[in-house]
């Protein structure tokens, strides 16, 4: 019975390739299949459809609520099973790696149009992580689309030959070689697109093969392809095409040549689906949705982060977002090493005028980075596992002559090291470096065995002998080539190494390049990815400012992905919501040209929790804040309706304090300029608008939270609590007059003014309780912080605060707005004002010019 049912179900799925579900069911009935079996088949199909829609990962935002036509691979498929087989041979585990790839690629294909539709023009976006396997994902998507009848596959593979060649090789290996009779190729390993004579030989009815074309985003190449497709128009009416745009934020958006050419190519294909892939989707999310452009109007998909992936947050940590428990927000791994600002002019010209004749200096930090790379390579040879290649990246400038200037001093450093292998002082320095790094990052925490210095030192002469110094840039013929045996290389480069291209076995990075935008900075992070067999060994040398920028980026990424996931549950579409992108005082979100259609998004303080984590450490600044805090406490004692005193817990709460006392405090308290979310003028303006327009925030609860074990801090008026300890994030080059403690408030503190013990409650439960008990009251929490604040023994990434005076931290908790809320401008987003939606099916009807 089971076999008969399965056979009939496979027949039904085969019918779905040609007919919609209702028509397929009717055909089953015409075959004489019994009603109860037909009903079971319908039930199973509905369950499969729901499974696709409700996959936990990836999360997606979709245009409309259309039923998916694709429910997963079938027994007759050939392309996807070949990829599965290839991945198993490469050592991929079925669970979770292959299963996750199967689920996420199925989700993407399910959002494409059925290839039998008469015409379609789909636009979607897939958001991955840097170096996380996006190529493997879109290869799987192509395979599954091919198995269902998509004919033409165009892959836009970045702007450099290296990435295009790498992508072509991957697709040939995983798609073409397992099924050579099923594929025709318009491009080759060393050959970008050149027009073929006879389009009919590729697209005519007699040719059943799939057509693969991997091209650079280069105007000359794309123009040739567009013209050739125009000539082939007689054969394209029944040619469902899938266009994959790898690194979709690069060159595609707001360019005068590339963008129109991509649109022209799509215009010549009556049935086309455009899917952009990127880890830095900022520009794509800011395209004008009302224009005939590539805004992802049909769907946005978040790919899950693969197990074992090193991403921004894993390495740099991030700041707490609203709803986070700070105790659960990790600081990241202790793998970042500080490059002093004084070193930067030694490795990068200060101005354009300094480029000519520039000679880099091998500073102590650069020497340590290079020597550590040699030690890592030797240690990996001792282990004998994982990727056979070993690469170091040095990226200080975009200028090719600067890259080339590193060649001689790096070779001299290598040759000197090779001659010093019998020098006791040199060996002692290497031993000290290795032991210090092993102590800071423990191998056992990553499931690895510690390699002792005496084990690896025997491998060092061979490492130095095989180490090459490679200038990989547009002016050099030298290139990283991982196809001809194991590589040990120090690669100095710029843009050719900054996007898409995988640096195999990358273990050490020295990065001080100045950039101005989120997407550029994130894509520079070639150190993101997988480090199987040496997850404990990677290190990154960079300035403290750059490390803070990456930490901010990790926060932006997390918040952006939460937006996508949240809107998925709220019946939104890419045309009814715009993903918000948190701004930064020193960085643009993307290039100015790509933001010309963006708007400043309104983001309310309503229901939010705001806290200070940046502080100056000089005495004058801190004394001013102490004075403001003591003034507020004195006023609260005099004007509050009720006081809860719990000095044994380090807690005081003054209830029903008039809002003007809070406003006066915020006017006197000085927030650090690096905290745009802590803008006193915006907060004060928000409070006053809520008071005047909605009648809320007229009364506040002012709390003091201290540590009962700390030394007393006196606020005056008989109020004193123990000082809190908040260590700063560690830097080797301690910046004068600045400290970042990263997080201040705990989940419990956000409910310090509520009745009963809230510590067992979740963040959501505390928020709901606040809304029930205190729907119109704000909460302001003062934290006296010990000026020394030694970190605990388990806080490896922390250093003593060492401020000149005690620090006053401030947390603010705002109630949910009951009416239309006043807003605060903190984000940018796409402008949806010119998009008109037909309410019934959410389809894009037209665009109105402003």
């Amino acid at each position: 019975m089971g076999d008969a049912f399965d056979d009939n179900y496979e027949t039904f799925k085969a019918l779905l390739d040609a007919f919609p579900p209702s028509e397929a069911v009717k055909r089953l009935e015409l075959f004489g299949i019994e009603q109860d079996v037909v009903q079971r088949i319908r039930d199973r199909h509905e369950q499969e459809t729901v499974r696709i829609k409700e996959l936990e990962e990836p999360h997606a935002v979709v245009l409309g609520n259309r039923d998916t036509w694709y429910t997963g691979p079938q027994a007759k498929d050939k392309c996807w099973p070949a990829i599965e087989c290839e991945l198993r041979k490469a050592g991929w585990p079925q669970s979770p790696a292959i299963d996750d790839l199967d689920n996420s690629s199925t989700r993407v294909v399910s959002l494409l149009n059925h290839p039998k539709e008469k015409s379609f023009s789909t636009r979607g976006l897939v958001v991955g992580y840097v170096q996380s396997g996006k190529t493997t994902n879109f290869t799987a998507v192509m395979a599954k689309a091919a198995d269902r009848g998509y004919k033409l596959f165009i892959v836009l593979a970045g702007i450099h030959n290296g990435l295009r060649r790498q992508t072509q090789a991957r697709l040939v290996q995983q798609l073409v070689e397992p099924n050579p009779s099923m594929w025709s190729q318009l491009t080759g390993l060393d050959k970008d697109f050149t027009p073929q004579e006879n389009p009919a030989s590729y697209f005519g009815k007699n040719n059943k093969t799939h057509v693969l074309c991997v091209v650079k985003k280069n105007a000359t190449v794309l123009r040739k392809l567009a013209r050739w497709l125009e000539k082939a128009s007689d054969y394209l009416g029944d040619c469902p095409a899938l266009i994959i745009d790898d690194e979709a934020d690069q060159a595609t958006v707001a360019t005068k040549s590339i963008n129109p050419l991509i649109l022209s190519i799509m215009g010549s294909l009556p049935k086309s689906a455009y899917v952009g892939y990127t880890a830095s989707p900022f520009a794509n999310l800011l395209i004008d949705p009302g224009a005939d452009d590539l805004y992802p109007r049909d769907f946005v998909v978040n790919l899950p982060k693969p197990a074992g992936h090193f991403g921004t947050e894993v390495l740099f940590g991030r700041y707490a977002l609203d709803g986070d428990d700070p105790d659960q927000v990790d600081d990241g791994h202790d793998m970042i090493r500080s490059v002093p600002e004084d070193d930067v002019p030694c490795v990068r010209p200060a101005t354009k005028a300094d480029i000519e004749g520039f000679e880099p200096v091998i500073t102590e930090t650069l020497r340590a980075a290079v020597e550590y790379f040699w030690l890592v390579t030797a240690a990996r040879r001792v282990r004998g596992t994982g990727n056979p290649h070993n690469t170091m990246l040095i990226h200080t400038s975009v200028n090719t002559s600067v890259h080339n200037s590193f060649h001689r001093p790096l070779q001299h450093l290598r040759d000197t090291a090779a001659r010093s292998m019998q020098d006791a002082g040199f060996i002692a320095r290497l031993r000290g470096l290795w032991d210090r790094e092993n102590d800071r990052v423990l191998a056992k925490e990553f499931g690895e065995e510690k390699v002792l210095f005496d084990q690896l030192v025997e491998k060092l002469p061979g490492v130095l002998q095989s180490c090459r110094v490679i200038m990989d840039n547009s002016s050099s013929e030298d290139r990283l080539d991982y196809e001809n045996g194991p590589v040990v290389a120090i690669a100095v480069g710029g843009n050719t190494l900054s996007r898409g291209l995988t640096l195999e076995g990358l273990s050490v990075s020295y990065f001080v390049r100045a950039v101005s935008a989120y997407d550029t900075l994130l894509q520079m992070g070639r150190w993101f990815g997988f480090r199987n067999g040496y997850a404990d060994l990677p290190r990154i040398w960079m300035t403290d400012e750059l490390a803070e920028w990456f930490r901010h980026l990790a926060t932006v990424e997390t918040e952006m992905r939460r937006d996508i996931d949240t809107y998925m549950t709220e019946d939104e579409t890419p045309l009814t919501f715009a993903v918000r992108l948190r701004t930064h005082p020193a960085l643009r979100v993307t290039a100015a040209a790509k933001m010309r259609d963006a708007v400043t998004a309104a983001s309310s303080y309503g229901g939010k929790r705001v806290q200070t984590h940046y502080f100056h450490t000089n005495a004058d600044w801190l004394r001013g804040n102490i004075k403001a805090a003591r003034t507020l406490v004195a006023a609260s004692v005099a004007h509050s309706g009720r006081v809860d005193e719990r000095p044994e817990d380090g807690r005081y709460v003054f209830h029903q304090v008039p809002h003007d006392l809070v406003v006066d405090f915020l006017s006197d308290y000085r927030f650090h300029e690096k905290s745009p979310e802590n803008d006193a003028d915006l907060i004060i303006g928000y409070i006053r608008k809520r008071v005047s327009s909605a009648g809320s925030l007229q009364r506040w609860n002012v709390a003091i939270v201290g540590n009962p074990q700390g030394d007393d801090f006196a606020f005056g008026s008989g109020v004193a609590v123990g000082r809190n300890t908040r260590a700063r994030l560690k830097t080797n080059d301690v910046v004068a007059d600045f400290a970042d403690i990263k997080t201040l408030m705990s989940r419990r503190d956000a409910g310090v003014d509520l009745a009963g013990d809230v510590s067992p409650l979740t963040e959501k439960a505390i928020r709901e309780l606040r809304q029930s008990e205190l729907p119109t009251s704000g909460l302001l929490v003062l934290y006296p912080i010990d000026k020394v604040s030694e970190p605990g023994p388990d806080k490896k990434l922390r250093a003593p605060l060492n401020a000149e005076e005690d620090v006053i931290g401030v947390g603010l908790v705002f109630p949910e707005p009951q009416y239309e809320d006043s807003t605060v401008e903190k984000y940018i987003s796409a402008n949806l004002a010119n998009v008109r939606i037909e309410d019934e099916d959410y389809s894009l009807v037209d665009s109105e010019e402003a």
Side-chain angles (χ1 to χ4, degrees):
M1 185 67 180
D3 291 342
F5 173 79
D6 290 339
D7 290 344
N8 288 325
Y9 185 68
E10 289 300 323
T11 300
F12 173 69
K13 289 212 292 184
L15 289 168
L16 286 177
D17 284 342
F19 306 102
S22 58
E23 180 64 26
V25 167
K26 289 179 182 178
R27 301 223 167 216
L28 284 180
E29 293 171 345
L30 290 175
F31 292 162
I33 299 173
E34 296 178 4
Q35 282 289 329
D36 65 325
V37 176
V38 172
Q39 186 58 46
R40 285 172 59 205
I41 288 173
R42 294 183 70 167
D43 291 344
R44 178 170 168 182
H45 174 63
E46 288 179 8
Q47 291 172 1
E48 287 287 319
T49 302
V50 169
R51 181 183 74 83
I52 298 303
K53 284 185 175 181
E54 297 183 352
L55 281 173
E56 181 181 357
E57 294 283 2
H59 291 172
V61 184
V62 189
L63 175 60
N65 295 313
R66 62 187 181 194
D67 288 336
T68 181
W69 59 277
Y70 183 81
T71 59
Q74 295 181 2
K76 65 179 183 179
D77 293 345
K78 295 187 182 307
C79 295
W80 164 248
I83 289 179
E84 270 193 303
C85 181
E86 183 78 23
L87 294 177
R88 286 195 196 96
K89 288 180 181 177
W92 281 47
Q94 184 66 43
S95 178
I98 294 178
D99 289 343
D100 286 351
L101 175 64
D102 187 10
N103 286 336
S104 59
S105 57
T106 289
R107 181 57 169 153
V108 175
V109 177
S110 75
L111 299 173
L112 305 179
N113 293 73
H114 194 295
K116 296 292 184 182
E117 290 182 31
K118 289 185 179 179
S119 65
F120 54 85
S121 182
T122 306
R123 287 162 169 79
L125 181 67
V126 179
V127 182
Y129 294 80
V130 174
Q131 299 285 85
S132 67
K134 295 186 299 297
T135 304
T136 302
N137 187 274
F138 71 64
T139 303
V141 167
M142 292 168 66
K144 291 179 176 182
D147 283 331
R148 286 299 179 278
Y150 272 76
K151 171 79 172 177
L152 173 61
F153 296 86
I154 299 172
V155 179
L156 307 173
I159 63 174
H160 295 293
N161 286 322
L163 180 57
R164 193 213 71 83
R165 188 175 187 275
Q166 188 180 75
T167 304
Q168 176 88 35
R170 287 276 296 276
L171 293 174
V172 168
Q173 178 191 12
Q174 296 189 330
L175 288 177
V176 179
E177 290 178 353
N179 294 289
S181 63
M182 295 176 59
W183 291 89
S184 301
Q185 298 184 64
L186 295 175
T187 53
L189 200 58
D190 296 307
K191 178 173 70 83
D192 211 326
F193 177 77
T194 52
Q196 308 297 307
E197 289 296 327
N198 186 7
S201 65
Y202 291 94
F203 303 115
K205 291 185 178 180
N206 293 329
N207 189 334
K208 303 297 183 183
T209 63
H210 307 294
V211 181
L212 176 64
C213 182
V214 184
V215 295
K216 291 193 305 295
K217 282 185 270 190
N218 172 280
T220 301
V221 173
L222 292 179
R223 197 171 291 114
K224 288 190 290 186
L225 177 58
R227 289 171 180 166
W228 187 74
L229 287 172
E230 286 176 10
K231 293 178 181 177
S233 59
D234 292 345
Y235 309 101
L236 298 178
D238 193 28
C239 177
L242 176 58
I243 300 172
I244 298 290
D245 188 353
D246 192 14
E247 306 295 342
D249 61 304
Q250 185 188 34
T252 296
V253 183
T255 52
K256 294 181 179 179
S257 56
I258 305 301
N259 182 273
L261 286 168
I262 294 174
L263 293 170
S264 172
I265 289 170
M266 293 182 66
S268 66
L269 297 165
K271 300 199 289 188
S272 66
Y274 168 92
V275 182
Y277 273 75
T278 182
S280 45
F282 313 113
N284 307 83
L285 294 169
L286 297 176
I287 295 172
D288 180 4
D292 181 20
D293 209 327
L294 296 172
Y295 180 77
R297 66 189 185 201
D298 294 292
F299 62 85
V300 183
V301 172
N302 264 342
L303 290 181
K305 186 172 75 170
H309 179 264
F310 276 57
T312 328
E313 183 177 345
V314 173
L315 286 168
F316 295 93
R318 66 170 172 83
Y319 297 111
L321 296 171
D322 190 60
D324 281 336
D325 188 331
D327 293 335
Q328 304 302 314
V329 180
D330 198 354
D331 286 343
H333 293 310
D334 188 10
M335 294 180 173
I336 315 302
R337 302 293 172 260
S338 181
V339 175
E341 290 292 341
D342 290 345
D343 281 11
V344 175
C346 299
V347 295
R348 187 183 74 211
T351 67
K352 288 185 177 180
D354 297 324
I355 291 175
E356 186 174 354
F358 175 77
E359 283 286 337
V361 176
I362 303 295
T363 63
E364 287 302 312
T365 54
L366 180 54
R367 179 191 300 275
V370 173
E371 290 178 348
Y372 179 73
F373 168 66
W374 292 328
L375 293 170
V376 167
T377 304
R380 292 189 60 206
R381 289 187 176 183
V382 171
R383 284 182 178 169
T385 59
N387 192 313
H389 306 295
N390 293 272
T391 310
M392 175 181 179
L393 169 64
I394 295 178
H395 194 154
T396 69
S397 168
V398 69
N399 188 274
T400 57
S401 66
V402 175
H403 305 158
N404 297 336
S405 71
F406 275 87
H407 195 269
R408 186 188 60 79
L410 286 173
Q411 280 195 324
H412 177 72
L413 184 65
R414 179 199 60 193
D415 295 342
T416 301
R419 292 193 299 268
S420 303
M421 285 304 300
Q422 304 304 316
D423 185 312
F426 175 71
I427 297 299
R429 185 172 80 237
L430 295 184
R431 183 187 294 275
L433 173 60
W434 183 250
D435 289 345
R436 286 194 303 274
E437 291 297 337
N438 270 267
D439 289 342
R440 291 181 68 172
V441 182
L442 303 180
K444 64 181 181 181
E445 293 179 0
F446 295 85
E448 300 291 347
E449 287 289 331
K450 178 179 179 179
V451 178
L452 300 176
F453 182 78
D454 290 337
Q455 293 175 281
L456 66 82
V457 72
E458 299 175 0
K459 304 286 186 180
L460 273 177
V463 168
L464 292 167
Q465 185 177 10
S466 58
C467 179
R468 297 172 58 210
V469 178
I470 295 177
M471 308 293 108
D472 196 315
N473 56 45
S474 57
S475 72
S476 168
E477 296 183 0
D478 228 357
R479 285 291 181 272
L480 284 165
D481 180 5
Y482 296 109
E483 297 176 10
N484 297 301
V487 167
V488 179
I490 300 172
V492 185
N495 288 343
T496 59
L497 299 177
S498 68
R499 240 183 209 273
L501 197 67
T502 299
L503 298 179
E504 299 284 354
L506 180 65
S507 52
V508 177
S509 301
Y510 187 92
F511 178 82
V512 296
R513 162 130 178 239
V515 296
S516 60
Y518 289 2
D519 39 18
T520 307
L521 182 65
L522 189 56
Q523 290 291 350
M524 297 293 171
R526 294 295 93 195
W527 46 80
F528 301 128
F530 302 93
R531 302 292 178 257
N532 299 325
Y534 62 108
D536 57 318
L537 300 179
R539 300 290 185 272
I540 306 165
W541 272 259
M542 61 171 48
T543 63
D544 295 334
E545 181 181 51
L546 279 168
E548 187 276 323
W549 287 2
F550 275 106
R551 195 176 304 117
H552 172 81
L553 261 181
T555 312
V556 172
E557 279 189 282
T558 301
E559 195 167 39
M560 174 188 69
R561 294 174 195 277
R562 285 188 184 182
D563 257 10
I564 295 173
D565 292 349
T566 299
Y567 288 129
M568 183 188 71
T569 65
E570 296 180 3
D571 198 27
E572 298 283 0
T573 81
L575 291 177
T576 61
F577 87 92
V579 174
R580 303 166 307 150
L581 301 170
R582 181 183 293 242
T583 60
H584 185 278
L587 289 168
R588 290 197 307 263
V589 170
T590 186
K594 299 177 183 180
M595 294 194 293
R596 63 188 178 199
D597 297 315
V599 295
T600 303
S603 178
S604 167
Y605 280 124
K608 303 297 184 187
R609 187 175 70 186
V610 178
Q611 56 187 305
T612 52
H613 63 85
Y614 289 121
F615 301 100
H616 285 292
T617 56
N618 71 79
D620 288 343
W621 196 84
L622 295 171
R623 286 175 189 146
N625 284 348
I626 291 172
K627 180 180 178 182
R630 286 174 171 160
T631 301
L632 174 61
V633 170
S636 298
V637 169
H639 294 91
S640 70
R642 176 169 59 90
V643 181
D644 288 338
E645 298 184 28
R646 289 173 277 163
E648 70 281 0
D649 295 329
R651 301 284 194 272
Y652 281 82
V653 181
F654 305 94
H655 294 267
Q656 297 295 298
V657 175
H659 78 275
D660 55 333
L661 301 182
V662 171
V663 167
D664 289 345
F665 166 76
L666 293 172
S667 298
D668 294 337
Y669 183 91
R670 295 170 69 186
F671 293 99
H672 196 283
E673 58 273 12
K674 291 187 71 148
S675 304
E677 70 274 19
N678 295 333
D679 186 308
D681 291 337
L682 288 178
I683 296 173
I684 291 169
Y686 175 79
I687 293 171
R688 285 175 171 162
K689 286 179 182 178
R690 286 286 297 273
V691 169
S692 61
S693 64
S696 65
L697 292 180
Q698 292 183 357
R699 295 284 173 174
W700 283 69
N701 296 335
V702 175
I704 299 172
V705 171
N707 177 4
Q709 280 75 50
D711 295 334
D712 274 358
F713 179 93
F715 282 94
S717 304
V719 178
V721 296
R723 292 170 172 84
N724 299 286
T725 297
R726 293 290 189 275
R728 71 164 83 204
L729 288 171
K730 182 190 294 184
T731 60
N732 291 344
D733 181 31
V734 177
V735 180
D737 193 26
F738 173 75
D740 180 0
I741 66 169
K742 199 173 150 217
T743 56
L744 178 71
M745 296 186 79
S746 72
R747 171 174 44 81
R748 175 190 174 195
D749 296 346
V752 67
D753 56 339
L754 299 174
D757 182 13
V758 300
S759 54
L761 300 181
T762 64
E763 179 82 24
K764 181 180 179 183
I766 292 175
R767 198 161 52 239
E768 290 173 348
L769 189 59
R770 289 200 68 82
Q771 196 62 22
S772 172
E773 291 187 9
L774 302 167
T776 63
S777 296
L779 169 65
L780 186 151
V781 186
L782 298 173
Y783 295 83
I785 300 172
D786 182 78
K787 64 182 181 181
V788 178
S789 287
E790 289 280 355
D794 60 331
K795 298 293 185 181
K796 295 182 178 179
L797 297 183
R798 300 281 176 155
L801 184 58
N802 284 344
E804 294 179 0
E805 294 285 349
D806 291 328
V807 176
I808 300 295
V810 176
L812 296 157
V813 181
F814 293 90
E816 293 283 353
Q818 293 182 304
Y819 307 102
E820 183 175 352
D821 201 4
S822 304
T823 54
V824 178
E825 296 177 346
K826 293 197 304 177
Y827 298 80
I828 64 170
S829 71
N831 184 0
L832 302 182
N834 294 330
V835 176
R836 280 212 288 128
I837 304 295
E838 188 174 313
D839 290 337
E840 291 184 359
D841 64 2
Y842 304 95
S843 61
L844 177 64
V845 176
D846 65 354
S847 306
E848 296 177 350
E849 292 189 4

